[in-house]
Amino acid sequence: TPETQTTQELHVGKKKDDQVANTSTMVFNKVEISVEEQSKDPQKKRERKKQNLKGNLTPLTGKNYKQLLSRLEARKSKLEELKEKDEKKAQVLETKMKWTNVLYKAEGVKIKDNEVLLKAALKRKEKSKLQRKKQWEKKTEYTASKMQQRQDKRRRNIQKRKKAKVEIGRA
């Protein structure tokens, strides 16, 4: 019957799923994805990171805009120096840089190599940092003043109670 046949297929499917789960390779939609063992050894991590570098150039990524700008400037100055010495080598290096950026972009890495945009982002980040600092100072000042007001109110109330006790004691 069709019902028993489908349940048998389900049991077979479960067995296949268990087999797939036991191995470190997973097949999804006819694309094999293997899970590599991640070691916690820092030296192995560095080696793995080095292997992932394309053309011995680290990609210009991240949120540290100051560092990205300085790295971009260093690359440009290196290229300029090389142009003065050897035009051909400079061209080779420039094409190598372009190709590595293209490879990283193809992998989905966001390359931030536009100097104008980096400067604008840095300025924006510094501005927001300054704003947060001002807000924090305002908040701490406000809380301090509120605490002082509460303490003053408490002192006044305690004084009132003392006076009321003295009044009651005299009467």
Side-chain angles (χ1 to χ4, degrees), residues 63-77:
K63 297 270 183 187
N64 191 349
Y65 299 121
K66 272 186 185 176
Q67 185 188 36
L68 287 173
L69 269 172
S70 65
R71 284 173 57 195
L72 193 62
E73 291 292 325
R75 280 188 185 181
K76 281 187 177 180
S77 64

Side-chain angles (χ1 to χ4, degrees), residues 6 20 27-28 31 37 60 63 86 90 103 119 122 137-138 145 151 161 169:
T6 53
V20 169
V27 178
F28 180 76
V31 177
E37 300 256 342
L60 293 168
K63 297 270 183 187
D86 190 8
L103 287 172
K119 283 182 181 177
L122 180 65
E137 287 172 357
K138 189 176 175 183
S145 67
Q151 284 177 348
R161 279 196 208 122

Side-chain angles (χ1 to χ4, degrees), residues 30 76 105 171:
K30 295 185 181 178
K76 281 187 177 180
K105 283 179 183 177

Side-chain angles (χ1 to χ4, degrees), residues 7-24:
T7 55
Q8 286 174 348
E9 287 173 7
L10 285 174
H11 289 296
V12 171
K14 282 184 182 178
K15 286 179 185 175
K16 286 181 182 175
D17 289 341
D18 291 341
Q19 289 170 352
V20 169
N22 289 339
T23 63
S24 64

Side-chain angles (χ1 to χ4, degrees), residues 135-152:
Q135 284 176 345
W136 180 253
E137 287 172 357
K138 189 176 175 183
K139 184 179 179 179
T140 53
E141 189 178 303
Y142 176 76
T143 52
S145 67
K146 273 291 193 188
M147 281 177 65
Q148 191 61 44
Q149 287 174 358
R150 286 178 182 156
Q151 284 177 348
D152 291 343

